[in-house]
Amino acid sequence: GESVGLHLPTLSVQEGDNSIINCAYSNSASDYFIWYKQESGKGPQFIIDIRSNMDKRQGQRVTVLLNKTVKHLSLQIAATQPGDSAVYFCAATIGGSNYKLTFGKGTLLTVNP
Amino acid sequence: GAVVSQHPSRVICKSGTSVKIECRSLDFQATTMFWYRQFPKQSLMLMATSNEGSKATYEQGVEKDKFLINHASLTLSTLTVTSAHPEDSSFYICSAMTGHTGELFFGEGSRLTVL
């Protein structure tokens, strides 16, 4: 089966710094990837997605990079704010849709004021 | 935007009882809904895929007789944890998808505590 994992379980940054959260996936057939933010006691919140025909996608203060060669993706958050403190999950799927996402382990991001 | 509502958000029950959790898509029709379970400090694990009008598809290792899923309408799926035990205590999250390849929206989760 497919597994999606993260390199670091926790990340602590200073307010205003840039944050980089990494994720590795194992199934080379994965072709759609999503980053989610989950605050304590809440459901996942969509941040940004990327398809396998792209290697970079930018949103508001966030950028996702995809390296299919090494099956790795990252989420970059610019000018990290205290409100960004949460657990971040990457998710992957096959078939280019949201069908049956497989989630990674999660990284807890703590932003220090 | 589209909203997915779960009810109850928190439930405490005694061991051996059954608990039903509802997942509703409030402003769209969801042909497909997914149920996830999340233990503390862990990731979301897909339990089952719920398709309106048909039987749910369970992931390997998930007991279908333990976790009953009913998707009787395009806006409602229910998860019933039967004969709950303390090890069933977890955060249960549903998501709903518009169409078969559409957008996906997550509920806020339901925290089950079995005493």
Side-chain angles (χ1 to χ4, degrees):
Chain A
E2 178 177 359
S3 68
V4 182
L6 293 172
H7 294 305
L8 294 173
T10 62
L11 177 64
S12 183
V13 301
Q14 291 298 122
E15 181 177 0
D17 288 351
N18 297 331
S19 303
I20 300 176
I21 301 171
N22 296 303
C23 179
Y25 62 96
S26 60
N27 192 335
S28 58
S30 298
D31 57 9
Y32 180 51
F33 307 88
I34 310 165
W35 280 100
Y36 286 94
K37 173 186 180 182
Q38 186 181 29
E39 298 176 343
S40 181
K42 296 186 177 181
Q45 177 185 353
F46 174 92
I47 300 173
I48 192 168
D49 61 356
I50 189 168
R51 299 190 183 278
S52 58
N53 60 352
M54 304 173 68
D55 53 20
K56 180 179 180 179
R57 189 159 190 232
Q58 288 184 293
Q60 187 177 11
R61 282 202 305 119
V62 294
T63 301
V64 55
L65 299 178
L66 174 63
N67 185 330
K68 295 182 290 295
T69 302
V70 295
K71 297 199 284 282
H72 178 273
L73 69 159
S74 66
L75 176 70
Q76 300 178 3
I77 305 174
T80 316
Q81 303 168 0
D84 295 327
S85 295
V87 178
Y88 289 81
F89 293 97
C90 66
T93 188
I94 301 169
S97 75
N98 286 297
Y99 195 78
K100 291 187 70 171
L101 297 175
T102 298
F103 280 79
K105 292 185 175 62
T107 292
L108 172 62
L109 174 66
T110 301
V111 182
N112 302 308
Chain B
V3 177
V4 174
S5 174
Q6 281 187 240
H7 178 80
S9 58
R10 292 177 180 270
V11 56
I12 301 173
C13 70
K14 292 182 179 179
S15 184
T17 61
S18 295
V19 174
K20 179 184 287 187
I21 301 170
E22 295 184 345
C23 178
R24 293 182 184 273
S25 56
L26 297 185
D27 55 2
F28 67 98
Q29 293 184 330
T31 308
T32 305
M33 290 184 174
F34 303 94
W35 285 97
Y36 290 85
R37 180 166 57 181
Q38 185 179 31
F39 292 111
K41 298 187 186 301
Q42 294 191 23
S43 187
L44 284 74
M45 296 297 295
L46 180 65
M47 299 175 66
T49 302
S50 171
N51 294 297
E52 186 269 336
S54 63
K55 291 183 179 180
T57 303
Y58 290 82
E59 295 300 303
Q60 190 174 7
V62 178
E63 301 174 57
K64 62 179 181 180
D65 295 329
K66 171 78 173 176
F67 299 99
L68 300 179
I69 293 173
N70 184 284
H71 194 158
S73 78
L74 285 170
T75 59
L76 174 64
S77 176
T78 60
L79 168 67
T80 302
V81 182
T82 63
S83 186
H85 288 92
E87 57 265 32
D88 297 323
S89 298
S90 187
F91 195 49
Y92 292 88
I93 303 171
C94 75
S95 63
M97 192 162 71
T98 61
H100 289 289
T101 59
E103 294 182 81
L104 188 71
F105 301 94
F106 280 85
E108 290 287 21
S110 299
R111 183 162 303 282
L112 170 64
T113 302
V114 184
L115 302 177

